[in-house]
Amino acid sequence: SALPEKKMIFKGLTVNKEDMNKLMLTPQIHYPLPGGSALITFDEAKVAQRIIGMREHTVELSCGQLEELDQCRMRVQAVPVEILLPSALEVGPIRLTRSSRSILVSDLPSLSIPKESLLDKVELFFSKTTNGGSEVESRQFLEDSGHILLTFTKDGVAEPLIERGHVQMSIGKGKYKVKISPCLSGGIADLQLQPSRCPRTVLLLGIPDVLSDESMRDALEIHFQKDSRGGGEVDELAYVPAGRTGVAVFVEDTG
């Protein structure tokens, strides 16, 4: 009863008892992108593989102010996107450890204020001894649940708060009842990864910084959508100009 409440939907039917010991993983891969690169995802995997097989591509640019045709072209390299995916996971007996310095704050109100402001207000409340708290070492907003993880600098502060279960907090002009729960952590015994190639996505390298972001995206999409250039219908395209860096997030393809 002390655990945070979270709505869940269970789908499917368990036929064998062995299935109850299986854990399903949904990978979410963060892929760093260097400057002067682009990620392009096609509707069909065969188009992506054809583009990779051609390796080098000459893309025409819309540079009306330049007279020489050669100056209106750029050469880019097409390479596959290799990522690491979990192939086997061994959890073993999960031993949950209860933190002596951390708490989970849930049932937070839905207010039209920035997350940082909400974090400041929660930290300020729980840092006061009159509210049963103490100096806060760190705070973190958990995106998947909407809860806040607070860690105090001293031991022994979390337990009395957890025993209370709920506290009344003042945020702005309102008072809200929030829930306090223990912070439990466990460990994975073994996680095995294997390299995997994205079937529909291509990484383009060597893109010079000669156009605006929007113009460069348009030029790349126009080029790689042409059948005569070996391309096809483009699903997504992300461009990172030279001198910058980016991160692409890959999720499971359910299509």
Side-chain angles (χ1 to χ4, degrees), residues 6 106 189 221:
K6 186 173 182 180
S106 58
E221 188 164 354

Side-chain angles (χ1 to χ4, degrees), residues 42-56:
F42 296 95
D43 283 350
E44 297 183 87
K46 64 180 182 181
V47 177
Q49 302 314 309
R50 185 164 63 236
I51 293 295
I52 293 171
M54 296 169 66
R55 291 287 298 178
E56 188 173 273

